[in-house]
């Protein structure tokens, strides 16, 4: 098994550009599968889950290649998110495995729900959804216990380098095997360059003096983006400040428990055939409580500010949930689809939206928090 895995990793390293292009193409195809044939949405989500899981494994292999190859020099420094999450993966095995299981659940939860909807009753399906949300909340609480810092989403580093820029490696090498020996010598100098002792004259553009700056602000605008910030020199695992007060801890715990409470109340309402807005309103209240309990951040806390900005943007998903979706958003989308069907170019996009509207009604994880 280990030999087959090593061969696959070697194949991945030597064909990383082709595999990356294939992953991107397959992800694009999944957007157009729903509504094309029976159970097309299941095939689409299963393919998406498979590609996301394989990409996570590929990223792990490529990260090992980058770490073990001293010749690799990235053109762009790693993002703060990548630095932070990779530091905690290397520091704590509990963080690494909890983050991996959490991401795998995030990739496969919709496929699991689709399978439950086809094989079991509605009550068992919602019980399975509550179990999934409970496991995810437990994993997030474990990450919170390990780091004592706000939980980033996703908890694993994302691929922030171009696979085509990886240095070439030997076909015999693999991250799971012993590293191969380095190249013994550099390429020989061509014969027509061996006796070329005469230097070329400098290009006119290099000898012409640069035009004078209009003001000092032009120099400052050029230098400020290249200046070091406090995040550039901090240890990677300390890019987020620890939660220090009870208010900080309470706000993060409320945010983590919010999806469990929302799914549990929805399951209760479906079991009793009630159409109350209790689940939606409770989730919104918990969202605002968590938001108001956040600590005040300094301008230098770039990573934490970006995480809170992402959480604020995610509140737009409430437009696709509960009574807000039924009474406001869905009629607007249906009206758009009807008007777009008469336009030549918008008709294609309208048809795509039309195929996705029933899926939002039928499945929890298309719009789940």
């Amino acid at each position: 098994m280990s030999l087959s895995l090593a061969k696959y990793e070697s194949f991945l390293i030597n064909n990383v550009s082709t595999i990356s292009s294939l992953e991107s193409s397959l992800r694009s195809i999944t957007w157009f599968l729903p509504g094309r044939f029976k159970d097309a949405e299941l095939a689409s989500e299963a393919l998406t889950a498979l590609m996301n899981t394989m990409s996570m494994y590929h990223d792990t292999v490529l990260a090992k290649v980058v770490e073990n190859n001293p010749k690799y020099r990235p053109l762009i420094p790693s993002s703060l998110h990548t630095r932070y999450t990779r530091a905690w993966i290397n520091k704590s095995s509990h963080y690494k495995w909890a983050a991996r299981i959490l991401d795998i659940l995030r990739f496969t939860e919709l496929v699991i729900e689709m399978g439950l909807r086809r094989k079991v009753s509605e009550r068992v399906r919602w019980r399975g959804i509550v179990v999934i949300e409970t496991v995810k909340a437990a994993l997030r609480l474990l990450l919170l216990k390990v780091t004592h810092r706000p939980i980033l989403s996703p908890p694993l580093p994302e691929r922030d380098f171009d696979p085509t820029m990886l240095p070439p490696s030997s076909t015999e090498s693999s991250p799971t095997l012993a590293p191969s020996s380095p190249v013994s010598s550099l390429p020989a100098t061509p014969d027509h360059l061996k006796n070329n002792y005469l230097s070329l004259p400098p290009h006119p553009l290099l000898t012409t003096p640069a035009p004078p700056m209009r003001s000092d602000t032009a120099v400052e605008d050029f230098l400020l983006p290249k200046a070091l910030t406090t995040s550039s020199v901090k240890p990677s695992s300390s890019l987020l400040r620890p939660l220090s007060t009870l208010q900080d801890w309470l706000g993060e715990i409320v945010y983590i428990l919010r999806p469990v409470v929302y799914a549990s109340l929805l399951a209760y309402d479906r079991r009793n055939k009630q159409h109350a807005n209790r689940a939606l309103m409770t989730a919104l209240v918990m969202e605002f409580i968590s938001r108001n309990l956040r600590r005040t951040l300094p301008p230098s806390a770039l990573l934490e500010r970006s995480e809170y900005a992402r959480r604020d943007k995610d509140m737009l998903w409430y437009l696709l949930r509960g009574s807000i979706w039924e009474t406001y958003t869905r009629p607007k989308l249906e009206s758009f689809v009807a008007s777009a069907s008469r336009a030549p170019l918008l008709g294609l996009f309208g048809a795509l939206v039309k195929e996705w509207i029933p899926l939002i009604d039928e499945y929890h994880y298309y719009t789940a928090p």
Side-chain angles (χ1 to χ4, degrees):
M1 180 66 180
S2 60
L3 183 60
S4 301
L5 190 62
K7 289 182 177 179
Y8 177 77
E9 291 177 354
S10 178
F11 172 79
L12 167 66
I13 296 168
N14 294 321
N15 300 274
V16 61
S17 178
T18 303
I19 294 177
S20 179
S21 300
L22 181 62
E23 290 175 356
S24 178
S25 301
L26 290 176
R27 284 196 182 93
S28 300
I29 292 174
T30 58
W31 284 95
F32 300 94
L33 285 181
R36 298 295 175 266
F37 51 89
K38 184 180 179 181
D39 293 335
E41 66 276 8
L42 178 60
S44 173
E45 294 304 326
L47 181 59
T48 301
L50 177 62
M51 296 308 304
N52 288 334
T53 306
M54 291 299 296
S55 295
M56 184 179 69
Y57 170 67
H58 292 166
D59 291 346
T60 304
V61 174
L62 296 177
K64 292 180 181 179
V65 174
V66 170
E67 291 176 0
N68 296 331
N69 197 323
K71 295 181 179 180
Y72 177 72
R73 294 292 183 272
L75 295 177
I76 302 176
S78 298
S79 64
L80 298 179
H81 177 276
T82 298
R83 284 178 53 198
Y84 175 82
T85 51
R86 183 166 290 133
W88 276 104
I89 285 175
N90 296 331
K91 183 177 181 179
S92 171
S93 60
H94 291 91
Y95 182 97
K96 177 175 66 176
W97 288 108
R100 287 179 177 176
I101 297 173
L102 183 60
D103 261 12
I104 291 175
L105 277 177
R106 186 167 58 89
F107 297 152
T108 58
E109 59 192 7
L110 183 53
V111 179
I112 295 174
E113 182 188 1
M114 289 181 173
L116 291 175
R117 188 173 185 271
R118 286 163 172 77
K119 297 296 183 181
V120 298
S121 64
E122 186 76 3
R123 183 174 182 177
V124 177
R125 169 199 165 198
W126 278 101
R127 188 176 299 170
I129 292 173
V130 174
V131 170
I132 292 175
E133 292 298 338
T134 304
V135 173
K136 288 167 59 179
L139 292 171
R140 291 191 177 105
L141 290 174
L142 176 59
L143 296 179
L144 184 64
K145 179 183 178 181
V146 170
T147 62
H148 289 201
R149 291 165 171 84
I151 305 302
L152 295 187
S153 181
L156 291 177
E158 298 176 306
R159 186 186 299 177
D160 60 350
F161 57 88
D162 186 1
T164 60
M165 299 301 295
L166 290 177
S169 60
S170 171
T171 55
E172 302 296 330
S173 65
S174 171
T176 58
L177 301 178
S180 57
S181 59
V183 181
S184 59
S185 60
L186 296 175
T189 305
D191 293 336
H192 67 282
L193 295 179
K194 288 182 178 180
N195 297 324
N196 189 6
Y197 297 108
L198 298 177
S199 60
L200 294 175
H203 195 274
L205 292 178
L206 299 178
T207 58
T208 305
M213 293 288 184
R214 295 182 182 177
S215 63
D216 294 339
T217 57
V219 179
E220 293 178 0
D221 293 341
F222 176 77
L223 292 178
L224 281 177
K226 297 173 173 54
L228 290 177
T229 62
T230 55
S231 300
S232 303
V233 296
K234 278 184 179 179
S236 297
S237 58
S238 301
L239 289 172
L240 289 182
R241 293 183 303 158
L243 301 174
S244 55
T245 65
L246 178 62
Q247 178 178 325
D248 297 341
W249 283 92
L250 184 60
E252 194 66 21
I253 291 174
V254 168
Y255 183 81
I256 291 174
L257 296 180
R258 175 182 45 90
V260 184
V261 174
Y262 179 67
S264 301
L265 292 177
L266 277 180
Y268 180 83
D269 291 342
R270 297 298 174 89
R271 184 171 67 247
N272 297 307
K273 297 181 180 180
Q274 298 179 3
H275 298 281
N277 291 326
R278 181 176 52 177
L280 179 67
M281 297 306 298
T282 304
L284 272 173
V285 168
M286 295 180 71
E287 192 91 48
F288 284 111
I289 290 175
S290 173
R291 193 177 189 279
N292 290 329
L293 291 177
R294 292 178 193 170
R295 54 193 175 186
T296 303
L297 299 177
S300 59
L302 299 178
L303 183 56
E304 193 168 353
R305 292 170 72 92
S306 66
E307 170 62 20
Y308 290 155
R310 183 200 62 79
R311 295 183 184 183
D312 292 341
K313 292 177 183 177
D314 283 349
M315 293 183 68
L316 292 175
W317 284 101
Y318 282 96
L319 293 174
L320 304 179
R321 296 172 188 156
S323 60
I324 301 177
W325 161 253
E326 294 173 358
T327 61
Y328 178 78
T329 313
R330 184 172 61 186
K332 297 289 184 182
L333 287 180
E334 291 174 346
S335 175
F336 166 76
V337 169
S339 59
S341 61
R342 298 186 291 269
L345 296 179
L346 288 178
L348 296 176
F349 180 71
L352 181 62
V353 173
K354 183 179 179 180
E355 298 296 340
W356 282 91
I357 288 177
L359 300 180
I360 298 176
D361 291 325
E362 295 172 1
Y363 297 105
H364 170 73
Y365 278 116
Y366 270 113
T367 59

